[in-house]
Amino acid sequence: FNQFINVSNPETLMESKSKAVNSFIPGRAAQIEFVQKYKPKVATIGIGGNDIDFAGKIKSCIIPMSCSWATDLRYASAKQIQTDLYKSLDGLYEKLKTASSDTTFIAIGYPNVISENDDSCAPNVLLNGVERRYAVELVNYMNVTIKAVAAKHKIKYLDISDSLQGDRLCDESYDGKAV
């Protein structure tokens, strides 16, 4: 992006953003600008995991004996969702409703990507039972929060937490073999 425009020049930056919105070029303008300009009939909203560094938390659990998130910091994770994620979603949903009041917005939750099932968890899954339970509970709490903020703003919520069931890590696959 920076190689194509001079980001230190505000006029060039605004021109680039304008071209992006007019040409549907992703990544150069905030998505809310597209909503504001085009006023879609329906728009989906799928955010939250990056706001609490979900991937980073789970990644830290892969190293044996290093996952304080699943033990000592569980409360900190919940608090982060309760405050930071809630506030972030609340502000975004308000801005989206203001940008296009006639749009039907649908907030999409997160799927559980791992099962707590100890019996069929393959040896290549480096998360123990406590860590897998933490990952599931983290997704569930994120989804509860997303749903609550969506309801506050009269935004529909789509629960996809079980959408990967049967194909999650540690699930038995459709052929009966451990994944």
Side-chain angles (χ1 to χ4, degrees), residues 16-84:
S16 178
K17 281 183 164 188
S18 178
K19 284 180 183 176
V21 171
N22 292 330
S23 304
F24 291 94
I25 301 170
R28 293 192 182 174
Q31 291 181 10
I32 197 165
E33 293 180 35
F34 291 91
V35 170
Q36 193 168 25
K37 178 172 180 157
Y38 295 104
K39 312 251 188 251
K41 290 183 181 182
V42 177
T44 58
I45 312 162
I47 65 165
N50 291 342
D51 293 287
I52 63 155
D53 191 28
F54 177 77
K57 286 175 172 61
I58 301 306
K59 191 190 267 185
S60 75
C61 293
I62 292 173
I63 301 167
M65 308 300 287
S66 69
C67 191
S68 57
W69 288 110
T71 54
D72 302 336
L73 296 174
R74 290 173 74 84
Y75 180 76
S77 294
K79 196 72 176 158
Q80 186 181 22
I81 291 170
Q82 191 178 64
T83 56
D84 298 347

Side-chain angles (χ1 to χ4, degrees), residues 5-25:
I5 64 165
N6 180 356
V7 292
S8 62
N9 181 340
E11 290 177 20
T12 306
L13 183 58
M14 293 307 292
E15 183 180 314
S16 178
K17 281 183 164 188
S18 178
K19 284 180 183 176
V21 171
N22 292 330
S23 304
F24 291 94
I25 301 170

Side-chain angles (χ1 to χ4, degrees), residues 4-169:
F4 299 112
I5 64 165
N6 180 356
V7 292
S8 62
N9 181 340
E11 290 177 20
T12 306
L13 183 58
M14 293 307 292
E15 183 180 314
S16 178
K17 281 183 164 188
S18 178
K19 284 180 183 176
V21 171
N22 292 330
S23 304
F24 291 94
I25 301 170
R28 293 192 182 174
Q31 291 181 10
I32 197 165
E33 293 180 35
F34 291 91
V35 170
Q36 193 168 25
K37 178 172 180 157
Y38 295 104
K39 312 251 188 251
K41 290 183 181 182
V42 177
T44 58
I45 312 162
I47 65 165
N50 291 342
D51 293 287
I52 63 155
D53 191 28
F54 177 77
K57 286 175 172 61
I58 301 306
K59 191 190 267 185
S60 75
C61 293
I62 292 173
I63 301 167
M65 308 300 287
S66 69
C67 191
S68 57
W69 288 110
T71 54
D72 302 336
L73 296 174
R74 290 173 74 84
Y75 180 76
S77 294
K79 196 72 176 158
Q80 186 181 22
I81 291 170
Q82 191 178 64
T83 56
D84 298 347
L85 180 60
Y86 188 97
K87 187 190 310 185
S88 176
L89 292 172
D90 192 35
L92 174 66
Y93 293 172
E94 182 67 34
K95 288 176 185 172
L96 285 169
K97 295 290 275 195
T98 300
S100 183
S101 60
D102 291 334
T103 298
T104 298
F105 292 101
I106 303 168
I108 300 174
Y110 280 83
N112 277 307
V113 295
I114 193 164
S115 170
E116 296 179 63
N117 186 355
D118 282 325
D119 297 334
S120 61
C121 199
N124 62 342
V125 176
L126 302 175
L127 301 176
N128 66 34
V130 171
E131 294 162 346
R132 291 192 311 272
R133 189 171 318 105
Y134 167 73
V136 169
E137 289 174 357
L138 193 63
V139 167
N140 291 343
Y141 194 47
M142 266 196 322
N143 286 338
V144 165
T145 303
I146 293 167
K147 183 177 182 179
V149 182
K152 175 183 175 184
H153 292 276
K154 295 181 176 49
I155 290 176
K156 297 174 188 226
Y157 172 76
L158 180 61
D159 181 2
I160 62 167
S161 58
D162 292 330
S163 63
L164 300 177
Q165 194 164 357
D167 290 319
R168 300 172 298 187
L169 292 171

